[in-house]
């Protein structure tokens, strides 16, 4: 891409040699675009399982199936650790991707010197993000997610915070409030670099309004959505699928389609008014393709992660399947000669694919293995307790053990692997359960389109930023 400058000098010299020339020949490089798809928690095991699930949902055996992004020509492996954690969280990993600097778990676009929760340290140590640099250059920026728009991964584009949980002002600590730190929803609405975010779509309405409108903001009459709309005639707000279909794609759009996270695919009813990830992605691209200096679009399949945390592999499979659909829809729309499309995960999960199911065995079912002649048995395989066991299983969380007592029935496990047991959290009814955790192995990065040949090898996660910067800003330090 630095060839542009060489070409420019070449044409300039040619021009000077030619008689009657008064200046360099004008040559402007066509604008470039980058779309980054982050499957939150979509580790390699999830991709394999989702590939089989997707194939089986079409009546095939499944193992031979190919998800849309698995056809991309360039692949790398990505090391996901945070600066202070071997197994990362989404705030630290998405900061690495969007600022080029690895940082601590739990913080949003601030440097690793900032202790989690330290408002004072965060105010003087924020990291410039892809969105800020892009908007300062007149490049369009869009965010699409199935989580709350204020959740960790999307927040790393437009906010800086010492604590990912400061999604609205009632969640700010007293010292953060006194220290002048602002909540993440406020920072989204106040993001005013250039003309601000072009597209922001997802869930999380409750973070933007007070209790008068069913939200969580400290002041019951607060309404940040109205503040967004009131900026000028160019700002529009939508909150269901039919409104989304009717937007003016020449204007900026805020879409908040659910009070908290958007509904799991597995729990949507036929009359759901929430758009799918694919529908949001297509609409976002229609808006961004009007931006004459190119664009950056983040699309997060955010609830893959939540399905795993809940110990529900089927939920995670459905979310991954929809994520793959959204990627295919984007690739069908864009011009790959000027657009880099990358697909990755921020981190993995502790799900495994156990042996030895026979070929085509339902990926969400119990294991039925082959007999000594390699033919499928009639009965499921049994574990040491005489019970059938599933192919997809978790080492911790609700699908592994529902209570500490239950762990006691597995002699030695707590003593040998105490760190494998998730931190218990309190349910609203006071009961204690376990949240399944992230996994620490490398995740994959798939790339196609302009500049995708840069992607390869085993890389640190913050290098993804360099790929984005090289294509969008001609400044990737590669
Ligand atoms: Zn998670």
């Amino acid at each position: 891409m630095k060839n542009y400058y060489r070409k420019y000098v070449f044409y300039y010299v040619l021009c000077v040699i030619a008689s009657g020339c008064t200046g360099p020949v004008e040559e402007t490089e066509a604008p470039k675009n980058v779309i980054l798809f982050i499957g939150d928690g979509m580790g390699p095991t999830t991709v394999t399982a989702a590939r089989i699930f997707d194939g089986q949902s079409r009546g095939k055996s499944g193992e031979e199936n190919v998800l849309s992004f698995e056809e991309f020509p360039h692949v790398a492996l990505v090391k996901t650790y945070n600066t202070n954690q071997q197994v990362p969280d989404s705030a630290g990993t998405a900061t690495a991707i969007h600022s080029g600097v690895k940082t601590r778990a739990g913080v949003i676009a601030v440097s690793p010197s900032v202790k989690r929760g330290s408002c004072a340290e965060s105010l003087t140590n924020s990291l410039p993000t892809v969105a800020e640099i892009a908007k300062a250059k007149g490049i369009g920026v869009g965010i699409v997610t199935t989580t709350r728009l204020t959740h960790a991964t999307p927040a790393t584009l437009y906010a800086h915070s010492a604590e990912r949980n400061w999604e609205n002002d009632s969640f700010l600590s007293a010292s953060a409030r006194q220290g002048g730190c602002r909540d993440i929803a406020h920072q989204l609405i106040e993001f005013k670099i250039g003309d601000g975010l072009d597209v922001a779509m997802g869930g999380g309405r409750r973070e933007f309004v007070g209790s008068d409108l069913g939200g969580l903001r400290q002041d019951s009459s607060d309404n940040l959505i109205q503040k967004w709309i009131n900026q000028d005639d160019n700002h529009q707000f939508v909150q269901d699928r039919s409104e989304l279909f009717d937007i003016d794609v020449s204007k900026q759009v805020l879409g908040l389609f659910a009070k908290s996270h958007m509904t799991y695919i597995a729990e949507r009813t036929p009359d759901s008014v929430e758009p799918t990830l694919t529908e949001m992605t297509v609409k976002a691209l229609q808006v961004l393709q009007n931006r004459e200096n190119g664009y950056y679009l983040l699309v997060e399949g955010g609830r893959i992660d939540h399905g795993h945390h809940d110990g529900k592999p089927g939920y995670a499979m459905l979310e991954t399947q929809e994520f793959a659909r959204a990627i295919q829809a984007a690739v069908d729309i864009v011009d790959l000669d000027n657009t880099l499309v990358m697909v990755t995960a921020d981190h993995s999960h502790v799900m495994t694919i156990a042996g030895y199911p026979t070929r085509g065995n339902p990926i969400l079912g119990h294991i039925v293995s082959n007999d000594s002649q390699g033919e499928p048995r009639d009965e499921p395989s049994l574990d040491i307790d005489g019970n059938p066991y599933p192919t997809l299983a978790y080492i911790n969380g609700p699908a592994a053990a529902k209570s500490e007592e239950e762990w006691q029935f597995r002699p030695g496990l707590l003593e040998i692997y105490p760190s494998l047991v998730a931190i218990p959290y309190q349910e609203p009814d006071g009961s204690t359960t376990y949240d399944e955790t992230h996994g620490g192995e490398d995740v994959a990065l798939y790339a196609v389109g302009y500049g995708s040949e840069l992607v390869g090898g085993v890389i640190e996660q913050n290098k993804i930023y360099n790929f984005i910067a090289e294509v969008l800003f001609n400044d990737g330090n590669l």
Side-chain angles (χ1 to χ4, degrees):
M1 268 141 278
K2 307 224 162 65
N3 280 343
Y4 165 66
Y5 297 105
R6 266 182 237 129
K7 253 192 276 172
Y8 188 86
V9 170
F10 174 73
Y11 283 122
Y12 181 74
V13 171
L14 259 189
C15 195
V16 168
I17 292 168
S19 60
C21 183
T22 53
V25 171
E26 285 285 321
E27 194 201 346
T28 51
E29 200 174 25
K32 300 294 185 295
N33 316 304
V34 176
I35 308 174
L36 178 65
F37 286 88
I38 298 181
D40 198 315
M42 190 187 71
T45 312
T46 300
V47 174
T48 304
R51 175 198 304 150
I52 297 170
F53 175 80
D54 182 62
Q56 292 184 345
S57 70
R58 298 163 208 275
K60 303 274 171 48
S61 177
E63 298 83 359
E64 70 298 328
N65 187 42
V66 180
L67 296 171
S68 58
F69 53 91
E70 294 186 291
E71 295 187 292
F72 289 7
H74 300 285
V75 179
L77 284 176
V78 181
K79 296 154 74 177
T80 65
Y81 65 95
N82 297 140
T83 55
N84 66 338
Q85 274 185 207
Q86 204 164 56
V87 178
D89 96 317
S90 298
T93 54
T95 296
I97 291 169
H98 283 142
S99 74
V101 180
K102 279 207 184 215
T103 193
R104 296 183 189 223
V107 303
I108 304 289
V110 297
S111 77
S113 63
V114 177
K115 286 189 279 301
R116 184 169 181 174
S118 173
C119 164
E121 289 174 353
S122 72
L123 290 174
T124 51
N125 288 289
S126 67
L127 296 167
T129 74
V130 166
E132 291 165 345
I133 298 167
K135 288 309 303 187
K137 291 175 181 287
I139 296 168
V141 173
I143 302 171
V144 168
T145 180
T146 48
T147 67
R148 297 188 295 269
L149 262 174
T150 48
H151 210 237
T153 306
T156 58
L157 274 172
Y158 61 81
H160 303 275
S161 180
E163 171 56 64
R164 60 178 285 174
N165 292 324
W166 292 344
E167 292 184 59
N168 67 71
D169 57 354
S170 65
F171 291 174
L172 283 169
S173 65
S175 64
R177 209 170 285 128
Q178 283 155 14
C181 281
R182 304 308 299 258
D183 63 277
I184 293 169
H186 176 94
Q187 292 189 55
L188 187 150
I189 300 298
E190 288 297 313
F191 184 95
K192 296 267 175 63
I193 299 172
D195 48 1
L197 296 172
D198 298 273
V199 175
M201 293 182 198
R205 220 160 34 224
R206 71 180 196 191
E207 316 297 334
F208 294 85
V209 294
S211 56
D212 291 355
L213 293 166
L216 296 174
R217 296 196 69 78
Q218 210 176 23
D219 177 348
S220 63
S221 64
D222 212 355
N223 187 348
L224 297 185
I225 296 170
Q226 200 57 48
K227 275 197 180 131
W228 162 273
I229 298 166
N230 290 348
Q231 290 179 74
D232 59 37
D233 288 347
N234 212 36
H235 288 73
Q236 56 192 328
F237 171 69
V238 291
Q239 53 185 342
D240 65 36
R241 169 195 249 156
S242 63
E243 288 178 3
L244 176 66
F245 289 161
D246 286 343
I247 62 166
D248 180 344
V249 293
S250 69
K251 296 181 176 180
Q252 290 158 264
V253 59
L254 171 65
L256 291 168
F257 303 107
K259 198 172 169 185
S260 181
H261 301 306
M262 291 178 70
T263 307
Y264 279 123
I265 300 279
E267 294 180 358
R268 287 198 192 185
T269 53
D271 59 350
S272 170
V273 296
E274 295 179 40
T276 63
L277 186 65
T278 304
E279 289 164 347
M280 291 193 289
T281 302
V282 169
K283 218 31 139 172
L285 285 170
Q286 288 173 3
V287 173
L288 291 168
Q289 286 182 329
N290 290 317
R291 301 296 177 260
E292 55 190 23
N293 296 324
Y295 61 82
Y296 175 75
L297 173 62
L298 166 70
V299 179
E300 187 199 21
R303 305 219 70 193
I304 300 167
D305 181 65
H306 298 163
H308 284 317
H309 280 308
D310 291 351
K312 294 172 174 166
Y315 279 47
M317 294 300 101
L318 283 166
E319 298 294 323
T320 310
Q321 192 179 34
E322 174 60 20
F323 182 65
R325 251 184 237 126
I327 294 161
Q328 185 61 53
V331 168
D332 288 346
I333 291 171
V334 302
D335 179 357
L336 292 174
D337 289 339
N338 59 22
T339 306
L340 170 63
V341 180
M342 293 190 287
V343 177
T344 192
D346 46 357
H347 55 73
S348 189
H349 268 271
V350 298
M351 186 180 79
T352 55
I353 304 178
Y356 297 99
T358 188
R359 179 80 190 267
N361 194 57
I363 190 71
L364 294 175
H366 289 125
I367 289 176
V368 175
S369 60
N370 290 334
D371 63 19
S372 59
Q373 293 181 308
E375 294 295 318
R377 295 180 194 276
D378 296 328
E379 300 291 329
S381 305
L382 302 179
D383 67 11
I384 198 162
D385 302 324
N387 300 315
Y389 58 99
T391 304
L392 300 183
Y394 298 92
I395 193 63
N396 58 30
K402 286 197 170 53
S403 66
E404 196 160 340
E405 288 72 42
E406 213 171 302
W407 283 96
Q408 308 298 342
F409 292 120
R410 304 174 184 211
L413 198 55
L414 260 185
E415 290 77 23
I416 298 168
Y417 301 116
S419 62
L420 292 178
V421 183
I423 299 162
Y425 68 89
Q426 288 279 321
E427 295 281 77
D429 65 2
S431 65
T432 303
T433 181
Y434 295 91
D435 210 3
E436 183 265 2
T437 71
H438 298 172
E441 71 270 29
D442 296 352
V443 297
L445 170 67
Y446 310 81
V448 68
Y450 184 87
S452 61
E453 68 282 355
L454 296 168
V455 172
V458 181
I459 62 170
E460 294 288 355
Q461 194 161 36
N462 48 307
K463 195 170 180 184
I464 297 174
Y465 170 85
N466 300 80
F467 300 145
I468 300 168
E470 184 68 25
V471 170
L472 270 192
F473 314 139
N474 234 325
D475 184 23
N477 289 319
L478 292 169

